[in-house]
Coordinates of all heavy atoms in Angstrom, one line a residue:
M1 N 99.9 99.7 104.5 CA 101.3 99.3 104.3 C 102.2 100.2 105.2 O 101.9 101.3 105.4 CB 101.6 99.6 102.8 CG 100.9 98.8 101.9 SD 101.5 99.1 100.2 CE 100.1 98.5 99.3
S2 N 103.3 99.6 105.5 CA 104.2 100.4 106.4 C 105.5 100.7 105.6 O 105.7 100.3 104.5 CB 104.6 99.5 107.6 OG 105.5 98.4 107.2
D3 N 106.4 101.4 106.3 CA 107.6 101.8 105.7 C 108.7 100.9 106.1 O 109.9 101.1 105.8 CB 108.1 103.3 106.1 CG 107.2 104.3 105.5 OD1 106.7 104.0 104.3 OD2 107.0 105.4 106.0
E4 N 108.4 99.8 106.8 CA 109.4 98.8 107.2 C 110.0 98.1 106.1 O 109.3 97.6 105.2 CB 108.7 97.9 108.2 CG 109.7 96.8 108.9 CD 109.0 95.9 109.8 OE1 107.8 96.0 110.0 OE2 109.6 94.9 110.2
T5 N 111.3 97.9 106.1 CA 112.0 97.2 105.1 C 111.8 95.7 105.3 O 112.0 95.2 106.4 CB 113.5 97.6 105.0 OG1 113.7 98.9 104.8 CG2 114.2 96.7 104.0
I6 N 111.4 94.9 104.3 CA 111.3 93.5 104.4 C 112.4 92.9 103.7 O 112.7 93.1 102.5 CB 109.9 93.1 103.8 CG1 108.7 93.8 104.4 CG2 109.7 91.6 103.9 CD1 108.5 93.5 105.9
K7 N 113.2 92.0 104.3 CA 114.2 91.3 103.8 C 115.3 92.1 103.1 O 116.0 91.7 102.2 CB 113.8 90.2 102.8 CG 112.9 89.1 103.4 CD 112.4 88.1 102.3 CE 111.5 87.2 103.0 NZ 111.0 86.1 102.0
G8 N 115.3 93.4 103.4 CA 116.3 94.3 102.9 C 116.2 94.6 101.3 O 117.1 95.2 100.8
E9 N 115.0 94.3 100.8 CA 114.9 94.4 99.3 C 113.7 95.3 98.9 O 113.7 95.9 97.9 CB 114.9 93.1 98.7 CG 113.9 92.1 99.1 CD 114.1 90.8 98.5 OE1 115.1 90.1 98.8 OE2 113.2 90.3 97.8
V10 N 112.6 95.2 99.6 CA 111.4 95.8 99.2 C 110.9 96.6 100.4 O 110.7 96.0 101.5 CB 110.3 94.8 98.8 CG1 109.0 95.6 98.4 CG2 110.8 94.1 97.5
R11 N 110.6 97.9 100.2 CA 109.9 98.7 101.3 C 108.4 98.7 101.0 O 107.9 99.1 100.0 CB 110.4 100.1 101.3 CG 112.0 100.2 101.7 CD 112.3 101.7 101.7 NE 111.7 102.4 102.7 CZ 112.0 102.5 104.1 NH1 113.0 101.7 104.4 NH2 111.4 103.2 104.9
N12 N 107.7 98.1 102.0 CA 106.2 97.9 101.8 C 105.6 99.4 101.6 O 106.0 100.2 102.4 CB 105.6 97.3 103.0 CG 105.7 95.7 102.9 OD1 106.2 95.3 101.9 ND2 105.4 95.0 104.0
G13 N 104.8 99.4 100.6 CA 104.1 100.7 100.4 C 105.0 101.6 99.5 O 104.4 102.7 99.1
E14 N 106.2 101.3 99.1 CA 107.0 102.1 98.2 C 106.3 102.2 96.8 O 105.8 101.3 96.3 CB 108.3 101.5 98.1 CG 109.3 102.3 97.3 CD 110.7 101.7 97.2 OE1 110.8 100.5 97.4 OE2 111.6 102.5 96.8
R15 N 106.4 103.4 96.2 CA 106.0 103.6 94.9 C 107.1 103.7 94.0 O 108.0 104.5 94.3 CB 105.1 104.9 94.8 CG 103.7 104.6 95.5 CD 102.7 105.7 95.3 NE 102.6 106.3 93.9 CZ 101.8 105.8 93.0 NH1 101.1 104.6 93.3 NH2 101.7 106.3 91.8
V16 N 107.2 102.9 92.9 CA 108.3 102.9 92.0 C 107.8 102.8 90.6 O 106.7 102.5 90.3 CB 109.2 101.7 92.3 CG1 109.8 101.7 93.7 CG2 108.5 100.3 92.0
A17 N 108.7 103.2 89.7 CA 108.3 103.1 88.2 C 108.4 101.7 87.8 O 109.3 100.9 88.3 CB 109.4 103.9 87.4
V18 N 107.4 101.3 87.1 CA 107.3 99.9 86.5 C 107.1 100.0 84.9 O 106.6 101.0 84.5 CB 106.2 99.1 87.2 CG1 106.4 98.9 88.6 CG2 104.8 99.7 86.9
A19 N 107.5 98.9 84.3 CA 107.4 98.9 82.9 C 107.1 97.4 82.5 O 107.9 96.6 82.8 CB 108.6 99.4 82.2
F20 N 105.9 97.3 81.9 CA 105.5 95.9 81.4 C 105.0 96.2 80.0 O 104.7 97.3 79.7 CB 104.3 95.3 82.2 CG 104.8 95.0 83.6 CD1 104.5 95.9 84.7 CD2 105.6 93.9 83.9 CE1 105.0 95.6 86.0 CE2 106.0 93.6 85.3 CZ 105.7 94.4 86.3
P21 N 104.9 95.2 79.1 CA 104.4 95.4 77.8 C 103.0 96.1 77.8 O 102.6 96.8 76.9 CB 104.4 94.0 77.1 CG 105.5 93.3 77.9 CD 105.4 93.9 79.3
W22 N 102.2 95.8 78.8 CA 100.8 96.3 78.9 C 100.6 97.5 79.8 O 99.5 98.0 79.9 CB 99.9 95.1 79.4 CG 100.3 94.6 80.7 CD1 99.9 95.1 81.9 CD2 101.2 93.5 81.0 NE1 100.5 94.4 83.0 CE2 101.3 93.4 82.4 CE3 101.9 92.6 80.3 CZ2 102.1 92.5 83.0 CZ3 102.7 91.7 80.9 CH2 102.8 91.6 82.2
F23 N 101.7 97.9 80.6 CA 101.5 99.1 81.4 C 102.9 99.6 81.7 O 103.9 98.9 81.9 CB 100.9 98.7 82.7 CG 100.7 99.8 83.7 CD1 99.7 100.8 83.6 CD2 101.7 100.0 84.7 CE1 99.7 101.7 84.5 CE2 101.6 101.0 85.7 CZ 100.6 101.9 85.6
T24 N 103.0 101.0 81.7 CA 104.2 101.7 82.1 C 103.7 102.9 83.0 O 102.8 103.6 82.6 CB 105.0 102.2 80.9 OG1 105.3 101.1 80.1 CG2 106.3 103.0 81.4
G25 N 104.2 103.0 84.2 CA 104.0 104.1 85.1 C 104.4 103.8 86.5 O 105.3 103.0 86.7
M26 N 103.7 104.4 87.5 CA 104.0 104.2 88.9 C 103.1 103.2 89.5 O 102.0 103.0 89.1 CB 103.9 105.6 89.7 CG 104.8 106.6 89.2 SD 106.6 106.3 89.4 CE 106.7 106.3 91.2
A27 N 103.7 102.3 90.5 CA 103.0 101.4 91.1 C 103.5 101.2 92.5 O 104.6 101.5 92.8 CB 103.2 99.9 90.4
G28 N 102.5 100.6 93.4 CA 102.8 100.3 94.8 C 103.4 99.0 94.8 O 103.1 98.1 94.1
V29 N 104.5 98.8 95.7 CA 105.2 97.5 95.8 C 105.2 97.0 97.2 O 105.4 97.9 98.1 CB 106.6 97.6 95.3 CG1 107.3 96.2 95.4 CG2 106.6 98.1 93.8
Q30 N 104.9 95.7 97.5 CA 105.0 95.2 98.9 C 105.4 93.8 98.8 O 105.1 93.1 97.8 CB 103.7 95.4 99.6 CG 102.6 94.5 99.2 CD 101.4 94.6 100.1 OE1 101.4 95.3 101.2 NE2 100.3 94.1 99.7
Q31 N 106.1 93.4 99.9 CA 106.5 91.9 100.0 C 105.4 91.2 100.7 O 104.9 91.7 101.7 CB 107.8 91.9 100.7 CG 108.3 90.4 101.0 CD 108.8 89.8 99.8 OE1 109.6 90.4 99.0 NE2 108.5 88.6 99.5
T32 N 105.0 90.0 100.3 CA 104.0 89.2 100.8 C 104.6 87.8 101.0 O 105.7 87.5 100.5 CB 102.6 89.2 100.1 OG1 102.9 88.4 98.9 CG2 102.1 90.6 99.8
D33 N 103.8 86.9 101.7 CA 104.2 85.5 101.8 C 104.3 84.8 100.4 O 104.9 83.8 100.2 CB 103.3 84.7 102.7 CG 103.5 85.2 104.1 OD1 104.5 85.7 104.5 OD2 102.6 84.9 105.0
Q34 N 103.4 85.3 99.5 CA 103.3 84.8 98.1 C 104.4 85.2 97.1 O 104.5 84.8 96.1 CB 101.9 85.0 97.5 CG 100.8 84.3 98.3 CD 100.4 84.9 99.6 OE1 100.3 86.1 99.7 NE2 100.1 84.1 100.6
G35 N 105.1 86.3 97.5 CA 106.1 86.9 96.7 C 105.9 88.5 96.7 O 105.3 89.0 97.6
V36 N 106.4 89.2 95.7 CA 106.4 90.6 95.7 C 105.0 91.0 94.9 O 104.8 90.4 93.9 CB 107.6 91.2 94.9 CG1 107.4 92.7 94.8 CG2 108.9 90.8 95.6
Q37 N 104.3 91.8 95.5 CA 103.0 92.3 94.9 C 103.3 93.7 94.3 O 103.8 94.5 95.0 CB 101.9 92.3 95.8 CG 101.4 91.0 96.1 CD 100.0 91.0 96.9 OE1 99.8 91.9 97.6 NE2 99.3 89.9 96.7
V38 N 102.8 93.9 93.1 CA 102.9 95.2 92.4 C 101.5 95.6 92.1 O 100.7 94.9 91.5 CB 103.7 95.1 91.1 CG1 103.7 96.4 90.4 CG2 105.1 94.6 91.4
A39 N 101.0 96.8 92.5 CA 99.6 97.2 92.3 C 99.6 98.6 91.6 O 100.4 99.5 92.0 CB 98.9 97.2 93.7
Y40 N 98.7 98.7 90.6 CA 98.5 99.9 90.0 C 97.1 100.1 89.3 O 96.4 99.1 89.4 CB 99.6 100.0 88.8 CG 99.5 98.9 87.8 CD1 98.7 99.0 86.7 CD2 100.2 97.8 88.0 CE1 98.6 97.9 85.8 CE2 100.1 96.6 87.1 CZ 99.3 96.8 86.0 OH 99.2 95.7 85.2
F41 N 96.7 101.3 89.0 CA 95.4 101.5 88.4 C 95.5 101.4 86.9 O 96.4 102.1 86.3 CB 94.9 102.8 88.8 CG 94.5 102.7 90.3 CD1 95.3 103.2 91.2 CD2 93.3 102.2 90.7 CE1 95.0 103.2 92.6 CE2 92.8 102.2 92.0 CZ 93.7 102.7 93.0
S42 N 94.7 100.6 86.2 CA 94.7 100.5 84.7 C 93.4 99.9 84.2 O 92.8 99.0 85.0 CB 95.9 99.7 84.3 OG 95.8 99.6 82.9
R43 N 93.0 100.3 83.1 CA 91.8 99.7 82.4 C 92.3 98.5 81.7 O 91.5 97.6 81.3 CB 91.1 100.6 81.6 CG 90.4 101.7 82.3 CD 89.6 102.5 81.5 NE 89.1 103.8 82.2 CZ 88.5 104.7 81.6 NH1 88.3 104.8 80.4 NH2 88.1 105.7 82.4
A44 N 93.6 98.5 81.2 CA 94.1 97.4 80.4 C 94.3 96.1 81.2 O 94.5 96.1 82.4 CB 95.5 97.9 79.9
S45 N 94.2 95.0 80.5 CA 94.3 93.7 81.2 C 95.9 93.4 81.4 O 96.7 93.8 80.5 CB 93.8 92.5 80.2 OG 92.4 92.8 80.2
A46 N 96.1 92.8 82.4 CA 97.6 92.3 82.6 C 97.7 90.9 82.3 O 96.7 90.1 82.2 CB 97.8 92.5 84.1
K47 N 98.9 90.5 81.9 CA 99.2 89.0 81.4 C 100.1 88.4 82.3 O 101.2 88.9 82.7 CB 99.7 89.2 80.0 CG 98.9 90.0 79.1 CD 98.8 89.5 77.7 CE 98.1 90.5 76.8 NZ 96.8 90.6 76.7
A48 N 99.8 87.1 82.7 CA 100.7 86.3 83.4 C 100.7 84.9 82.8 O 99.7 84.4 82.3 CB 100.3 86.2 84.9
P49 N 101.9 84.3 82.7 CA 103.1 84.9 83.1 C 103.6 85.9 82.1 O 103.1 86.0 81.0 CB 104.1 83.6 83.1 CG 103.4 82.7 81.9 CD 102.0 82.9 82.1
G50 N 104.5 86.7 82.7 CA 105.0 87.9 81.9 C 106.3 88.4 82.5 O 106.7 87.8 83.5
A51 N 106.8 89.4 81.9 CA 108.1 90.1 82.5 C 108.1 91.5 82.2 O 107.4 92.0 81.3 CB 109.2 89.4 81.8
G52 N 108.8 92.1 83.1 CA 109.0 93.6 82.9 C 110.1 94.1 83.9 O 110.9 93.3 84.3
T53 N 110.0 95.4 84.3 CA 110.9 95.9 85.3 C 110.1 96.6 86.4 O 109.0 97.2 86.2 CB 111.9 96.9 84.7 OG1 111.3 98.0 84.2 CG2 112.8 96.2 83.7
V54 N 110.6 96.5 87.7 CA 110.0 97.1 88.8 C 111.2 97.8 89.5 O 112.1 97.2 90.0 CB 109.4 96.1 89.8 CG1 108.9 96.7 91.1 CG2 108.2 95.4 89.1
G55 N 111.0 99.1 89.5 CA 112.1 99.9 90.1 C 113.5 99.8 89.4 O 114.5 99.8 89.9
G56 N 113.4 99.5 88.0 CA 114.6 99.4 87.2 C 115.2 97.9 87.3 O 116.1 97.6 86.7
R57 N 114.6 97.0 88.1 CA 115.1 95.7 88.3 C 114.2 94.6 87.5 O 113.0 94.8 87.5 CB 115.0 95.3 89.7 CG 116.0 96.1 90.6 CD 115.7 96.0 92.1 NE 115.9 94.6 92.6 CZ 115.5 94.2 93.8 NH1 114.9 95.1 94.6 NH2 115.7 92.9 94.1
P58 N 114.7 93.7 86.8 CA 114.0 92.7 86.0 C 113.0 92.0 87.0 O 113.4 91.6 88.1 CB 115.1 91.8 85.5 CG 116.4 92.4 85.5 CD 116.2 93.4 86.7
F59 N 111.8 91.8 86.5 CA 110.7 91.2 87.3 C 109.9 90.2 86.5 O 109.6 90.4 85.4 CB 109.8 92.3 87.8 CG 108.7 91.9 88.8 CD1 109.1 91.7 90.1 CD2 107.4 91.7 88.5 CE1 108.1 91.4 91.0 CE2 106.6 91.3 89.4 CZ 106.9 91.1 90.7
E60 N 109.7 89.0 87.1 CA 108.9 88.0 86.5 C 107.5 88.0 87.2 O 107.3 87.9 88.3 CB 109.6 86.6 86.7 CG 108.8 85.5 86.1 CD 109.4 84.1 86.3 OE1 110.5 84.1 86.9 OE2 108.8 83.1 86.0
V61 N 106.5 88.1 86.3 CA 105.1 88.1 86.8 C 104.6 86.7 86.8 O 104.6 85.9 85.8 CB 104.2 88.9 85.8 CG1 102.7 88.9 86.3 CG2 104.6 90.4 85.8
L62 N 104.2 86.2 87.9 CA 103.6 84.8 88.2 C 102.1 84.8 88.0 O 101.5 83.9 87.5 CB 104.1 84.2 89.4 CG 105.6 84.2 89.5 CD1 106.0 83.8 90.9 CD2 106.3 83.3 88.5
T63 N 101.4 85.8 88.6 CA 100.0 86.0 88.6 C 99.6 87.3 88.4 O 100.3 88.3 88.8 CB 99.3 85.4 89.8 OG1 99.6 86.2 90.9 CG2 99.7 83.9 90.1
A64 N 98.4 87.5 87.7 CA 97.9 88.9 87.5 C 96.3 88.8 87.7 O 95.8 87.9 87.1 CB 98.2 89.4 86.1
E65 N 95.9 89.8 88.4 CA 94.4 89.7 88.7 C 93.9 91.2 89.0 O 94.6 92.0 89.4 CB 94.0 88.8 89.8 CG 94.6 89.1 91.1 CD 94.3 88.1 92.2 OE1 93.5 87.2 92.0 OE2 94.7 88.3 93.3
R66 N 92.7 91.4 88.8 CA 92.0 92.6 89.2 C 91.8 92.6 90.8 O 91.5 91.5 91.3 CB 90.6 92.8 88.5 CG 90.8 93.0 87.1 CD 90.1 94.4 86.7 NE 90.5 94.7 85.4 CZ 91.1 95.8 85.0 NH1 91.4 96.6 86.0 NH2 91.4 96.1 83.8
S67 N 92.0 93.7 91.4 CA 91.8 93.7 92.8 C 90.3 93.4 93.2 O 89.4 93.9 92.5 CB 92.1 95.1 93.4 OG 91.8 95.2 94.7
R68 N 90.2 92.7 94.2 CA 88.8 92.3 94.6 C 88.3 93.4 95.6 O 87.1 93.4 95.9 CB 88.8 90.9 95.4 CG 89.2 89.8 94.5 CD 89.1 88.4 95.3 NE 90.0 87.6 94.6 CZ 91.1 87.0 95.2 NH1 91.3 87.2 96.4 NH2 91.9 86.3 94.5
T69 N 89.1 94.3 96.0 CA 88.6 95.3 97.0 C 88.8 96.7 96.5 O 88.2 97.7 96.9 CB 89.5 95.2 98.3 OG1 90.9 95.3 98.0 CG2 89.3 93.8 99.0
V70 N 89.6 97.0 95.5 CA 89.9 98.4 95.0 C 89.5 98.4 93.4 O 90.1 97.8 92.7 CB 91.3 98.8 95.2 CG1 91.5 100.3 94.7 CG2 91.7 98.8 96.7
E71 N 88.4 99.1 93.2 CA 88.0 99.1 91.8 C 89.1 99.7 90.8 O 89.6 100.8 91.2 CB 86.7 99.9 91.6 CG 86.1 99.9 90.3 CD 84.7 100.6 90.3 OE1 84.1 100.7 91.3 OE2 84.3 101.0 89.1
G72 N 89.3 99.1 89.7 CA 90.3 99.6 88.8 C 91.7 99.3 89.0 O 92.5 99.6 88.3
A73 N 92.0 98.6 90.1 CA 93.4 98.2 90.5 C 93.7 96.8 89.9 O 92.9 95.9 89.9 CB 93.5 98.3 91.9
I74 N 95.0 96.7 89.5 CA 95.5 95.5 89.0 C 96.6 95.1 90.0 O 97.3 95.9 90.5 CB 96.2 95.6 87.6 CG1 95.2 96.2 86.6 CG2 96.9 94.3 87.2 CD1 94.3 95.1 86.1
V75 N 96.6 93.8 90.3 CA 97.6 93.3 91.3 C 98.4 92.2 90.6 O 97.8 91.2 90.2 CB 97.0 92.7 92.6 CG1 98.1 92.2 93.6 CG2 96.2 93.9 93.3
L76 N 99.8 92.4 90.5 CA 100.7 91.4 90.0 C 101.4 90.7 91.2 O 101.8 91.4 92.1 CB 101.6 92.0 89.0 CG 101.1 92.9 87.9 CD1 102.3 93.5 87.1 CD2 100.2 92.1 87.0
T77 N 101.6 89.5 91.1 CA 102.4 88.8 92.1 C 103.6 88.1 91.3 O 103.3 87.5 90.3 CB 101.7 87.8 92.9 OG1 100.6 88.5 93.6 CG2 102.5 87.2 94.0
G78 N 104.8 88.3 91.8 CA 105.9 87.7 91.1 C 107.2 87.8 91.9 O 107.1 87.9 93.2
K79 N 108.3 87.8 91.2 CA 109.6 87.9 91.9 C 110.6 88.6 91.0 O 110.4 88.7 89.8 CB 110.1 86.4 92.2 CG 110.4 85.6 90.9 CD 110.8 84.3 91.2 CE 111.1 83.4 90.0 NZ 111.6 82.1 90.4
F80 N 111.6 89.1 91.6 CA 112.7 89.7 90.9 C 113.5 88.6 90.3 O 113.7 87.6 91.0 CB 113.5 90.6 91.8 CG 112.8 91.9 92.3 CD1 112.3 92.0 93.5 CD2 112.7 92.9 91.3 CE1 111.6 93.1 93.9 CE2 111.9 94.0 91.8 CZ 111.4 94.1 93.0
V81 N 113.9 88.8 89.1 CA 114.6 87.7 88.4 C 115.9 87.5 89.1 O 116.6 88.3 89.5 CB 114.9 88.2 86.9 CG1 115.8 87.2 86.2 CG2 113.7 88.4 86.1
G82 N 116.2 86.1 89.4 CA 117.3 85.6 90.1 C 117.2 85.5 91.5 O 118.1 85.2 92.3
E83 N 115.9 85.9 92.1 CA 115.7 85.8 93.4 C 114.5 84.8 93.7 O 113.7 84.6 92.8 CB 115.3 87.1 94.0 CG 116.4 88.1 93.9 CD 116.1 89.6 94.3 OE1 115.0 89.7 95.0 OE2 116.9 90.4 94.0
Q84 N 114.4 84.3 94.8 CA 113.3 83.3 95.2 C 112.0 84.1 95.3 O 112.0 85.3 95.8 CB 113.6 82.7 96.5 CG 114.8 81.7 96.5 CD 114.5 80.6 95.7 OE1 113.3 80.0 95.6 NE2 115.5 80.0 95.0
A85 N 110.9 83.5 95.0 CA 109.5 84.1 95.1 C 109.2 84.2 96.6 O 109.6 83.4 97.4 CB 108.5 83.3 94.4

């Protein structure tokens, strides 16, 4: 991940506070072609669709899955509420 700003809204690789009903803590955030990805380590299952906050901004979770490459990581894909995915 780089420090380059994408679309002026998300800095790839930035770590921010997130809060979802199933997880609260720090997570990595990056912009992709599929939307904003939020990644964190947790044993708990994530739920999609769902909602929470990312960096204090309302966030809609569209998909949630375990990482295929990093053991113990959860990857959420979604969008900030009121913005395009």
Side-chain angles (χ1 to χ4, degrees):
M1 294 186 204
S2 73
D3 289 331
E4 180 181 353
T5 300
I6 304 296
K7 297 183 184 175
E9 56 189 62
V10 175
R11 293 181 64 82
N12 280 351
E14 182 178 18
R15 288 185 49 81
V16 299
V18 300
F20 296 99
W22 59 88
F23 176 82
T24 300
M26 296 299 289
V29 179
Q30 71 174 352
Q31 178 72 45
T32 70
D33 291 340
Q34 291 78 37
V36 177
Q37 285 189 335
V38 177
Y40 58 89
F41 290 96
S42 177
R43 293 182 189 174
S45 297
K47 307 210 188 289
T53 61
V54 173
R57 297 166 59 193
F59 188 80
E60 179 182 355
V61 177
L62 303 174
T63 65
E65 63 184 355
R66 291 239 170 238
S67 172
R68 293 180 211 121
T69 57
V70 180
E71 187 175 338
I74 302 287
V75 180
L76 309 176
T77 302
K79 64 181 181 177
F80 290 103
V81 174
E83 300 174 13
Q84 295 291 328

